[in-house]
């Protein structure tokens, strides 16, 4: 019986092990430029003003740095509301991966050049789109960039 309790306790810790990284990922997605990224006190104030929920800057910093993990469901709900993600994002790897893929796309589309490429590609034949993907993947290799993940997170798309 004691082993079951230890297993549940370990499982609970594993659920929250990624909480800090997920909070940091969300902050970076909203504020990609480190120079304009607000501090935790300002961010907590914005969270309170936006959601009406209560969270302090210190507590937000502790969660984001992994110093604290004793977050309540209410606080998870406040964070989820503010960042526009489902509460499960903080606890479920599958949900987190899906949301992160959407965030990566939204972040990429902030760049006018990327948006222009996507808009200009509309209406091209599937074979032409495949050729463009090959060229982009080769350009990424030349610049020593990692291959981008496709929408289901499995890596670059391969054509058959």
């Amino acid at each position: 019986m004691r082993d079951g309790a230890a297993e549940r306790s370990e499982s609970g810790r594993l659920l929250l092990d990624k909480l800090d990284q997920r909070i940091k990922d969300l902050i970076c997605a909203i504020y990609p430029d480190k120079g304009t990224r607000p501090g935790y006190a300002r961010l907590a104030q914005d969270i309170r003003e936006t959601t009406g929920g209560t969270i302090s800057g210190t507590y937000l910093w502790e969660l984001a740095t992994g110093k604290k993990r004793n977050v309540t469901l209410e606080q998870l709900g406040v964070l989820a509301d503010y960042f526009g993600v489902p509460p499960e994002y903080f606890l479920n790897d599958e949900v987190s991966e899906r949301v992160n893929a959407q965030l990566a796309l939204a972040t990429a589309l902030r760049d006018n050049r990327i948006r222009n490429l996507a808009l200009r590609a509309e209406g091209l034949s599937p074979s032409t789109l495949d050729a463009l993907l090959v060229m982009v993947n080769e350009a990424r290799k030349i610049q020593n960039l990692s291959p981008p993940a496709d929408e289901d997170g499995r890596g670059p798309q391969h054509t058959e």
Side-chain angles (χ1 to χ4, degrees):
M1 187 136 172
R2 190 172 245 305
D3 289 337
E7 213 172 278
R8 279 192 302 278
S9 174
E10 180 67 22
S11 171
R13 274 198 302 274
L14 290 176
L15 278 176
L16 295 176
D17 273 351
K18 298 175 185 173
L19 178 66
D20 55 341
Q21 188 59 51
R22 290 178 181 165
I23 291 172
K24 287 185 277 194
D25 288 346
L26 290 170
I27 293 169
C28 289
I30 291 177
Y31 303 100
D33 180 13
K34 274 187 170 184
T36 61
R37 194 173 298 155
Y40 290 103
R42 176 68 186 108
L43 192 56
Q45 180 183 350
D46 194 32
I47 291 170
R48 288 189 303 273
E49 291 170 359
T50 303
T51 67
T54 58
I55 193 162
S56 73
T58 301
Y59 187 68
L60 183 59
W61 173 80
E62 289 172 332
L63 290 175
T65 58
K67 305 257 185 255
K68 290 227 172 150
R69 290 199 171 96
N70 60 335
V71 65
T72 66
L73 290 176
E74 182 180 347
Q75 290 163 326
L76 279 181
V78 167
L79 291 171
D81 285 347
Y82 178 75
F83 289 112
V85 298
E88 297 84 10
Y89 170 83
F90 297 104
L91 304 171
N92 183 300
D93 287 339
E94 187 178 311
V95 173
S96 176
E97 288 171 14
R98 188 173 62 242
V99 169
N100 285 340
Q102 293 167 352
L103 288 172
L105 176 60
T107 300
L109 289 175
R110 287 180 182 160
D111 185 324
N112 282 334
R113 293 167 296 192
I114 292 173
R115 208 170 37 252
N116 281 334
L117 278 171
L119 291 170
R120 290 170 192 235
E122 183 181 11
L124 297 175
S125 71
S127 61
T128 302
L129 290 173
D130 289 341
L132 288 171
L133 284 173
V134 168
M135 287 191 290
V136 169
N137 285 335
E138 288 304 313
R140 291 185 68 82
K141 284 181 192 173
I142 290 169
Q143 293 187 9
N144 293 320
L145 298 172
S146 61
D150 63 12
E151 292 194 338
D152 57 6
R154 291 184 297 204
Q157 291 182 333
H158 298 284
T159 58
E160 295 173 14

